[in-house]
């Protein structure tokens, strides 16, 4: 199957700082990627759709100025959590699809202290 | 409204028992896709199956089987002869009109005891 990677796998940052998470499709090109957030023992919630070469589309209730998404190439999308706060601590997962089903990255666990 | 309901929050079974995970979905679209994913403790989602709304055939893959019934809007997942390695959280997901924007259920945590 298709492979999607994320970096870093986990990150700890101090409140007020920004952190960038990368999502790469390793063996296919993806004009669209998706970012999800998963709080402990909860379901995945779609945050935004990352579109190569254009602005991301955010789901209702997601602050676009806080979660900056850049999809600069057909294999890379980045999510930057700006001015992170403890409530942003979560498991962030990206996904992409060569066709049909989505393939998910391994996730990035963000802890804001 | 589009929604996926997994009413079973947690299930515990003893190894070799069969177990069925329920999934009920809501959508007004006539074209949609249903999925099951496994999330082991490592966190990475593992794709199990994709089914489109026009294909109601049941599917069997090894110890896994799926029962899709449009009449009851259900897409249930059965593991036969469960094993400890099956312990994970299982998510059912809905994609309407092939938008790739998945709506996930709340997941069912399966614990298989040795």
């Amino acid at each position: 199957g298709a492979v999607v990677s994320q970096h870093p796998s986990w990150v700890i940052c101090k409140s007020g700082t920004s952190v960038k998470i990368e999502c790469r499709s390793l063996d296919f090109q993806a004009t669209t990627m998706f970012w999800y957030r998963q709080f402990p023992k909860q379901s995945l919630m779609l945050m935004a759709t990352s579109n190569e070469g254009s602005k991301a589309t955010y789901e209702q209730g997601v602050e676009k100025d806080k979660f900056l998404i850049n999809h600069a190439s057909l294999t890379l999308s980045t999510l930057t959590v700006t001015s992170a706060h403890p409530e942003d601590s979560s498991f962030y997962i990206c996904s992409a699809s060569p066709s049909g089903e989505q393939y998910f990255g391994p996730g990035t666990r963000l802890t804001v202290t | 409204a589009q929604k996926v309901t997994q009413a079973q929050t947690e299930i515990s079974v003893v190894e070799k028992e069969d177990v069925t995970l329920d999934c009920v979905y809501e959508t007004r679209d006539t074209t949609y896709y249903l999925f099951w994913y496994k999330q082991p403790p490592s966190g990475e989602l593992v794709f199990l199956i994709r089914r489109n709304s026009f294909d109601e055939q049941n599917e069997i893959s090894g110890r896994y089987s799926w029962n899709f019934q449009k009449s009851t809007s259900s897409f249930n997942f059965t593991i036969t002869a469960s094993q400890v390695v099956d312990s994970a959280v299982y998510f059912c997901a809905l994609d309407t009109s092939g938008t790739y924007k998945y709506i996930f259920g709340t997941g069912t945590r399966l614990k298989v005891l040795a």
Side-chain angles (χ1 to χ4, degrees):
Chain A
V3 179
V4 176
S5 71
Q6 281 184 242
H7 179 81
S9 55
W10 59 270
V11 58
I12 301 173
C13 71
K14 291 188 176 181
S15 188
T17 62
S18 296
V19 61
K20 180 186 288 187
I21 302 169
E22 294 183 348
C23 175
R24 293 182 186 273
S25 55
L26 297 186
D27 49 2
F28 65 97
Q29 293 183 332
T31 55
T32 303
M33 292 183 174
F34 299 90
W35 287 96
Y36 292 83
R37 179 166 57 182
Q38 184 182 28
F39 290 109
K41 297 192 176 182
Q42 294 188 26
S43 187
L44 286 80
M45 300 298 293
L46 178 65
M47 297 175 66
T49 303
S50 174
N51 304 299
E52 188 269 335
S54 65
K55 291 182 179 180
T57 306
Y58 293 82
E59 296 300 301
Q60 193 172 9
V62 177
E63 299 174 61
K64 60 181 67 176
D65 294 331
K66 180 166 191 61
F67 298 100
L68 300 180
I69 292 173
N70 185 9
H71 195 149
S73 77
L74 288 171
T75 59
L76 173 64
S77 173
T78 60
L79 168 67
T80 301
V81 183
T82 63
S83 187
H85 290 284
E87 56 265 31
D88 298 323
S89 298
S90 188
F91 192 53
Y92 292 87
I93 307 173
C94 70
S95 71
S97 174
S99 64
E101 67 274 10
Q102 290 287 312
Y103 287 87
F104 288 82
T108 296
R109 192 164 301 283
L110 169 64
T111 301
V112 184
T113 60
Chain B
Q2 290 147 355
K3 186 179 177 182
V4 175
T5 300
Q6 293 180 256
Q8 304 152 308
T9 305
E10 186 167 315
I11 300 175
S12 292
V13 298
V14 177
E15 205 169 19
K16 297 185 182 177
E17 285 185 1
D18 299 346
V19 59
T20 295
L21 309 181
D22 298 333
C23 172
V24 174
Y25 62 92
E26 293 177 33
T27 180
R28 292 181 179 175
D29 291 311
T30 55
T31 301
Y32 52 89
Y33 300 85
L34 294 162
F35 303 82
W36 276 96
Y37 283 87
K38 174 182 180 181
Q39 187 178 43
S42 62
E44 185 166 0
L45 285 166
V46 178
F47 167 79
L48 296 178
I49 191 170
R50 173 182 186 249
R51 175 64 82 229
N52 75 56
S53 53
F54 299 107
D55 182 3
E56 285 194 75
Q57 277 193 333
N58 291 331
E59 174 128 355
I60 298 174
S61 176
R63 296 184 298 107
Y64 296 168
S65 62
W66 291 269
N67 185 335
F68 177 27
Q69 291 195 344
K70 289 177 73 172
S71 61
T72 56
S73 297
S74 64
F75 187 43
N76 297 335
F77 171 35
T78 297
I79 301 175
T80 303
S82 59
Q83 300 176 0
V84 174
V85 293
D86 295 328
S87 297
V89 179
Y90 290 85
F91 289 98
C92 180
L94 169 68
D95 174 12
T96 58
S97 303
T99 61
Y100 297 149
K101 295 167 67 170
Y102 289 9
I103 299 166
F104 282 86
T106 49
T108 297
R109 182 176 300 276
L110 174 65
K111 292 184 178 180
V112 181
L113 308 173

